[in-house]
């Protein structure tokens, strides 16, 4: 059974930084295409970051480009999202998501980590 | 970037009725790489349909997807109370970026 468990969310001031983690079981992060998707309160879904199974390819959404970095730890089978220069509009639930291939839907989702950016 | 437009914004139906949700793309979705997700209140989204018409594991057969090119439909043949949720379409054939529709809220009376 696949499980993705996010952690590291919380309250941070504008301009601050935060690192989200996603502990994965039931699949290997080095065999899957991993993404982060966020959802602002009461809003829709926004894909923001992606890493290929090889780890060589990373993409970022325009709204967060230059402020976030996706990474993974194969030994710990975990995914991470380092966020900096946070803005109030970054307030959202952040989901760790996996898919089995480039042309695959998002098959497995974590329960989400809430990030609130406020002074 | 492919823009997905879902309609209607909100749908209110009774148990046993048929629900038809639409997703229209601003350009052709490559190889019909179109997925549907269900998100219940306070929960993460769940994959229902991929490749426009393939049900995900464990999804009841009252959920079906159809369409091609730029017009896609999610049909729920006989509504159950637990189908109350927001439904999102998503394309993954032309990325990045991967894009989602804005969602359709389905209310069961």
């Amino acid at each position: 059974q696949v499980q993705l468990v996010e952690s590291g969310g919380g309250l941070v001031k504008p301009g601050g930084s935060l690192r989200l983690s996603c502990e994965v079981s039931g699949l290997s992060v080095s065999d899957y295409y991993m993404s982060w998707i966020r959802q602002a309160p009461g809003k829709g879904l926004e894909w923001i970051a992606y890493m290929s199974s090889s780890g060589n390819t990373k993409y970022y959404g325009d709204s967060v480009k230059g402020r976030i970095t996706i990474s993974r730890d194969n030994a710990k089978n975990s995914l991470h999202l380092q966020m900096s220069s946070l803005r109030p509009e970054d307030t959202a639930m952040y989901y760790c998501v996996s898919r089995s291939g480039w042309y695959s839907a998002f098959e497995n989702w974590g329960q989400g980590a809430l990030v609130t950016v406020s002074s | 970037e492919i823009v997905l437009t879902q309609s209607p914004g909100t749908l209110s139906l009774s148990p046993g009725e048929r629900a038809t949700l639409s997703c229209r793309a601003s350009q052709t979705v490559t190889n019909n790489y179109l997925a549907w997700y269900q998100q219940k209140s306070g929960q993460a989204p769940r994959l229902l349909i991929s490749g426009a018409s393939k049900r995900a594991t464990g999804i009841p057969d009252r959920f079906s997807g159809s369409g091609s090119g730029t017009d896609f439909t999610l049909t729920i043949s006989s509504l159950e109370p637990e189908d109350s949720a927001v439904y999102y379409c998503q394309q993954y054939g032309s990325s990045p970026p991967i894009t989602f529709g804005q969602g359709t809220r389905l209310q069961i009376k």
Side-chain angles (χ1 to χ4, degrees), chain B residues 2-5 22-30 32 34 66-73 89:
Chain B
I2 294 181
V3 176
L4 300 177
T5 302
S22 173
C23 177
R24 177 162 291 179
S26 60
Q27 54 189 284
T28 297
V29 176
T30 302
N32 296 328
L34 191 287
S66 62
S68 64
T70 60
D71 289 297
F72 299 89
T73 300
C89 61

Side-chain angles (χ1 to χ4, degrees), chain A residues 25-111:
Chain A
S25 58
L27 64 83
S28 173
V29 295
S30 59
D31 290 335
Y32 279 71
Y33 291 66
M34 303 299 296
S35 288
W36 289 94
I37 292 171
R38 71 181 182 182
Q39 185 173 37
K43 302 297 184 183
L45 301 166
E46 179 189 14
W47 166 84
I48 58 168
Y50 152 87
M51 171 182 276
S52 65
S53 57
S54 68
N56 293 332
T57 302
K58 300 176 184 179
Y59 288 116
Y60 299 100
D62 288 342
S63 63
V64 295
K65 199 173 295 182
R67 300 188 297 119
I68 68 168
T69 302
I70 188 171
S71 63
R72 73 184 187 204
D73 185 331
N74 291 343
K76 295 183 178 179
N77 209 35
S78 60
L79 184 72
H80 305 281
L81 187 70
Q82 179 67 47
M83 303 186 290
S84 61
S85 301
L86 285 163
R87 307 165 180 167
E89 55 264 36
D90 295 318
T91 294
M93 186 71 79
Y94 286 73
Y95 294 103
C96 170
V97 191
S98 74
R99 54 181 181 152
S100 53
W102 178 254
Y103 291 116
S104 296
F106 293 117
E107 297 137 343
N108 300 290
W109 296 65
Q111 86 289 349

Side-chain angles (χ1 to χ4, degrees), chain B residues 57-71:
Chain B
T57 302
I59 302 303
D61 59 9
R62 66 178 184 274
F63 291 91
S64 63
S66 62
S68 64
T70 60
D71 289 297

